[in-house]
Amino acid sequence: MRVLNFTIIQLTVFLTVGICLGYLRRIPLVTSACFLAASIVTLAVLYVLTRKTTDQKLWFNFATWIAMVSIGVFSVNCHNPKNKVSHYTNSAAFKENTLGTLNLQVYQHLKSSAYYHKYYANIQAIGSSTVSGKLLLRIPKTQTDSILNIGDIFIANAKIAPLTRPLNPGQFDYAEYLERQYVYHQITLNSASLHKLNQQTFSILRLSHKFKAHVITNLKLYRFKPDTLAVINALFLGERKDINSTLQSAYTNAGVVHILALSGLHIGLIVVFLNFILRPLNRVPSGRLLKIGFIVLVLWSFAFISGLSASVVRAVTMFSILSIGTHLKRPTNIYNTLASSIFIILLFNPLLLFDIGFQLSYVAVFAIVSIDPILYKLWQPKHWLLNVYWHTLTVTVSAQIGILPISLYYFHKFSGLFFISNLIIIPFLSIVIGFGILVITAAIIGVLPNFIARIFEALIHGMNAITIRISQYEAFIFENISFNILYLITAYTFIISIYFLILKRNFKRLSLALCATIFMLLSFIYTDYTLPQKQFIVFNKYRSSLIGLVSRDTIRVIVSDRKLPSLEPPSAIKDFMVKRHVKTYIRGEMQPLYALNTETLLVVDSLCVYNVKAFKPDYVLLTASPKLNLERLITTLKPKCIIADGSNYRSYIALWRSICKTHKTPFHFTGVDGAFVWSN
């Protein structure tokens, strides 16, 4: 089947190209608008010239592709709130790190961190200036454990601060993730600084979250066990904050953590359940139309009950389009329908293209509809139970083949237990989802019999127990797998080439598969070849020193915190090793002097020994808050740069920075400037 011959798929491909171009190149709004207008005019002219002939169709197709790329670029700019005059960053009243009076409306509760409750908030005003935009609102847990209500409006005196960037190489860039949600700044407040206003505005999100809170309150009346209630809230309401770390780790290690994230899997199972119970409608006049309408209504009602989170809305949109496309009597295929849903979703939110959940959902579905028929044909058991489990296995393997490269790229982890866990849990989950819809509905209207609640609790408890049992086989869990963007591209090139070779075996496709294999092997060689021969890194670690000496695929680590285990790398080192493809970890002792090829680095610790006469170091590392005369050191040694790590007192840092500024000597503090990296 020549998939790319379908028009909607071609349009979607070039739309995504335009979105990538618009996001990565930051093309100005006016430029993108002019380019879009020119491409549309060109397309219209070519349409008039070629509509009665087939000789020039190639030019018309080419103009169509260019127009779609232009739409993608323009869409990125249109959805960028910074291009709006009303955005707070364009207001004269906005100044970073300056105290001001802000009007804020809370509109989404995020997962809390170890120290903060987190929310997205719309900023409505700075002082007397009316503005718009989104901020990250952080409230320390030490101040209050109360949760702000969605839709509440507050006034507060606060500083709008830039987002915190990662300080060590290899760390997850949370600031970049927030910017893809159109969040560019954050404010940190305690509860006493927030003054609630009585005014309220209508908000569908507010109604949704109030209804979800009502459902959670009703469920608590049936006295479910804490772990059971936490999983119920995760499965049906998207609330994962009450799941304890032990249960979360068990689902992760078993390879079924996606069950706890309300997304496409759950919506897909709901669609299957509804199709099953509504089959009789296919026999009545207009029954198919009623069936489609009811399924779409139930899906969006479910999204409303679960709080209209972005992942649920995305999944419901996808399956609504799939349901409509599947039930309409038109000559189409599943690839067309999937591409249509991608096209529509990206037009409304182009940066969803870079969302991990979006990528995993669609890649999994594409893999299932492409690979599963091939695997399922290998064996078709006659017994219905064997057939169910065989089909479950083929679907699971197909999805895993599709998402494995993305999972390794983002999470660097693979659970070999997914074979057995999905065979057991997915059929179990199908029963839980179907039964749970009835339980949740009965709980909402307050007519849930207690014995039904206990049966449902036993099902959830059994699913938890099975998952915990499976997760104990740690030998099948592979962690800290280095996988870069080049590996990702070559892996998908290999998978796609093998897929087309299986569909039709000929010399051309065999050649493409062999080229893809060679391409993948070359990516491994290139990655290894381009690694720095030698690196000296001063990592940032709060109240301690953390130094790494990298030689190809080995890192020797010096840690001043003796409480850390010697055999297990600190988290910052572990992240770096995965990112940098380092395989061997060794612990070492701090040395007073390090040779960096032709340069040298002197370490000055609390003993404050730096009276070297034989040479002048190029760099000086200050650690453990040495009580020294920095002016004398600079005058005597004349270093290229002064480095201070996280083990020093902040008051010392401020003084040292001032002295270095006076003497025009570069000063690098890892707590602000990030890790210091010297490479060869």
Side-chain angles (χ1 to χ4, degrees):
M1 181 176 56
R2 301 179 68 181
V3 175
L4 290 179
N5 278 357
F6 292 100
T7 302
I8 187 62
I9 296 178
Q10 293 183 31
L11 296 180
T12 303
V13 168
F14 285 99
L15 176 68
T16 58
V17 171
I19 291 172
C20 292
L21 182 63
Y23 177 76
L24 297 174
R25 299 299 300 174
R26 307 293 184 183
I27 299 171
L29 177 61
V30 175
T31 304
S32 63
C34 293
F35 193 69
L36 175 61
S39 64
I40 291 177
V41 170
T42 304
L43 183 63
V45 171
L46 286 174
Y47 173 74
V48 173
L49 295 176
T50 62
R51 61 179 177 174
K52 294 183 179 180
T53 178
T54 58
D55 295 338
Q56 304 297 326
K57 286 295 183 182
L58 178 61
W59 289 107
F60 178 76
N61 290 341
F62 183 74
T64 304
W65 301 336
I66 296 298
M68 290 312 304
V69 172
S70 304
I71 290 173
V73 174
F74 185 70
S75 177
V76 171
N77 280 310
C78 279
H79 287 85
N80 186 350
K82 285 187 174 183
N83 289 326
K84 298 178 181 178
V85 177
S86 62
H87 195 258
Y88 69 90
T89 56
N90 299 320
S91 171
F94 166 68
K95 292 181 180 179
E96 281 190 354
N97 295 318
T98 301
L99 195 65
T101 303
L102 311 178
N103 280 47
L104 306 167
Q105 183 179 34
V106 177
Y107 82 93
Q108 187 175 344
H109 181 208
L110 306 175
K111 185 176 181 180
S112 301
S113 65
Y115 303 104
Y116 295 99
H117 294 299
K118 295 182 179 181
Y119 305 85
Y120 285 150
N122 286 320
I123 180 169
Q124 298 179 333
I126 301 177
S128 58
S129 301
T130 302
V131 296
S132 64
K134 298 192 324 190
L135 295 170
L136 175 66
L137 171 61
R138 305 191 306 171
I139 299 180
K141 286 186 174 180
T142 54
Q143 301 292 337
T144 177
D145 286 327
S146 62
I147 303 300
L148 304 182
N149 295 319
I150 304 302
D152 284 350
I153 299 176
F154 297 91
I155 187 170
N157 288 325
K159 295 179 180 179
I160 301 179
L163 298 172
T164 304
R165 298 287 174 179
L167 296 174
N168 291 316
Q171 283 186 323
F172 173 66
D173 194 341
Y174 187 54
E176 183 182 20
Y177 166 79
L178 290 176
E179 287 175 354
R180 289 174 181 168
Q181 316 301 314
Y182 304 112
V183 177
Y184 307 103
H185 290 85
Q186 64 183 359
I187 55 176
T188 304
L189 296 168
N190 56 42
S191 58
S193 302
L194 286 169
H195 303 285
K196 186 177 178 181
L197 301 179
N198 292 327
Q199 66 185 83
Q200 289 186 358
T201 57
F202 174 79
S203 169
I204 188 68
L205 278 176
R206 180 184 180 88
L207 292 177
S208 175
H209 280 269
K210 287 183 70 173
F211 194 83
K212 182 167 76 170
H214 170 72
V215 175
I216 293 174
T217 301
N218 281 15
L219 287 173
K220 288 180 179 178
L221 298 176
Y222 294 92
R223 301 185 182 279
F224 292 108
K225 295 177 182 178
D227 282 352
T228 302
L229 183 60
V231 173
I232 292 173
N233 288 339
L235 290 177
F236 297 95
L237 302 174
E239 289 287 340
R240 300 174 60 184
K241 63 179 184 294
D242 295 326
I243 298 178
N244 62 59
S245 58
T246 302
L247 191 60
Q248 175 85 20
S249 298
Y251 275 87
T252 301
N253 293 337
V256 289
V257 69
H258 54 281
I259 287 175
L260 300 179
L262 187 54
S263 59
L265 172 63
H266 306 77
I267 306 302
L269 290 174
I270 291 173
V271 171
V272 171
F273 173 72
L274 292 175
N275 274 313
F276 176 75
I277 64 174
L278 296 175
R279 278 192 301 179
L281 286 177
N282 293 333
R283 303 190 188 97
V284 302
S286 302
R288 294 176 65 88
L289 185 61
L290 289 173
K291 183 179 178 181
I292 296 170
F294 186 77
I295 289 175
V296 173
L297 177 63
V298 171
L299 291 183
W300 284 101
S301 299
F302 182 80
F304 180 82
I305 293 172
S306 62
L308 291 173
S309 66
S311 60
V312 175
V313 170
R314 181 183 65 243
V316 167
T317 301
M318 178 177 73
F319 278 97
S320 296
I321 296 172
L322 286 175
S323 298
I324 294 171
T326 302
H327 288 84
L328 288 178
K329 293 181 178 180
R330 292 185 179 179
T332 184
N333 67 19
I334 188 64
Y335 298 103
N336 251 353
T337 308
L338 282 171
S340 299
S341 65
I342 294 174
F343 189 88
I344 293 171
I345 291 173
L346 291 182
L347 281 180
F348 282 96
N349 189 350
L351 293 194
L352 269 179
L353 180 64
F354 306 102
D355 183 82
I356 300 174
F358 178 87
Q359 295 171 7
L360 289 173
S361 296
Y362 274 102
V363 169
V365 175
F366 271 109
I368 289 171
V369 300
S370 301
I371 302 173
D372 176 62
I374 297 173
L375 297 180
Y376 184 63
K377 287 180 181 178
L378 296 176
W379 180 46
Q380 294 181 343
K382 296 180 180 180
H383 193 280
W384 70 271
L385 185 60
L386 282 176
N387 184 63
V388 167
Y389 272 97
W390 170 243
H391 203 186
T392 301
L393 178 62
T394 58
V395 168
T396 299
V397 172
S398 301
Q400 194 67 38
I401 291 172
I403 67 172
L404 181 60
I406 291 181
S407 299
L408 292 178
Y409 177 69
Y410 286 115
F411 308 117
H412 306 286
K413 184 174 183 177
F414 172 70
S415 175
L417 298 170
F418 81 91
F419 287 100
I420 184 66
S421 58
N422 279 275
L423 276 176
I424 298 174
I425 300 298
I426 296 301
F428 211 101
L429 182 65
S430 304
I431 299 172
V432 168
I433 292 292
F435 194 29
I437 291 174
L438 303 177
V439 169
I440 296 294
T441 304
I444 290 173
I445 59 180
V447 294
L448 177 63
N450 191 64
F451 79 93
I452 296 294
R454 301 284 73 82
I455 293 173
F456 188 54
E457 182 177 44
L459 285 173
I460 299 292
H461 178 75
M463 187 171 71
N464 290 344
I466 292 170
T467 304
I468 291 172
R469 178 64 178 173
I470 293 173
S471 67
Q472 293 174 352
Y473 295 92
E474 297 181 357
F476 296 94
I477 302 169
F478 308 96
E479 297 181 297
N480 303 322
I481 302 172
S482 298
F483 206 85
N484 58 30
I485 186 67
L486 186 58
Y487 290 179
L488 179 70
I489 295 171
T490 55
Y492 276 118
T493 303
F494 176 76
I495 291 171
I496 293 171
S497 66
I498 294 298
Y499 168 72
F500 281 111
L501 178 62
I502 293 173
L503 283 183
K504 186 177 181 180
R505 298 175 180 86
N506 57 35
F507 179 76
K508 181 180 178 181
R509 296 192 177 189
L510 176 61
S511 300
L512 290 174
L514 291 175
C515 289
T517 305
I518 294 171
F519 186 30
M520 187 166 60
L521 293 174
L522 288 176
S523 70
F524 296 135
I525 297 172
Y526 174 79
T527 299
D528 185 65
Y529 179 77
T530 55
L531 290 177
Q533 294 288 330
K534 188 176 181 182
Q535 281 186 313
F536 178 90
I537 304 173
V538 182
F539 292 88
N540 181 69
K541 185 170 177 58
Y542 184 58
R543 290 186 176 179
S544 66
S545 296
L546 183 60
I547 298 173
L549 289 87
V550 185
S551 179
R552 296 296 295 171
D553 61 350
T554 301
I555 184 169
R556 182 181 297 274
V557 177
I558 295 93
V559 186
S560 63
D561 187 355
R562 300 299 178 184
K563 296 180 181 179
L564 291 174
S566 59
L567 297 179
E568 185 72 17
S571 59
I573 298 296
K574 192 179 296 183
D575 293 339
F576 173 78
M577 290 177 67
V578 171
K579 189 75 173 180
R580 170 62 170 64
H581 298 258
V582 175
K583 300 178 179 63
T584 307
Y585 165 78
I586 305 171
R587 282 286 283 268
E589 297 293 331
M590 182 76 79
Q591 302 297 322
L593 193 67
Y594 291 95
L596 311 177
N597 279 5
T598 59
E599 298 179 310
T600 53
L601 181 142
L602 175 68
V603 178
V604 180
D605 57 16
S606 57
L607 298 178
C608 206
V609 177
Y610 66 90
N611 189 19
V612 290
K613 298 179 180 179
F615 67 97
K616 293 186 182 297
D618 298 279
Y619 304 95
V620 174
L621 171 61
L622 305 179
T623 180
S625 302
K627 297 179 179 179
L628 80 165
N629 187 328
L630 187 59
E631 291 189 25
R632 183 186 302 166
L633 183 147
I634 293 174
T635 303
T636 305
L637 302 181
K638 294 181 173 59
K640 292 180 180 178
C641 181
I642 301 293
I643 307 160
D645 63 17
S647 65
N648 298 289
Y649 297 134
R650 288 300 179 109
S651 58
Y652 284 24
I653 297 295
L655 176 62
W656 293 339
R657 188 182 293 278
S658 175
I659 293 172
C660 286
K661 185 177 181 180
T662 301
H663 288 266
K664 297 181 180 180
T665 300
F667 181 76
H668 186 107
F669 172 48
T670 60
V672 173
D673 305 308
F676 173 82
V677 181
W678 178 92
S679 297
N680 178 30

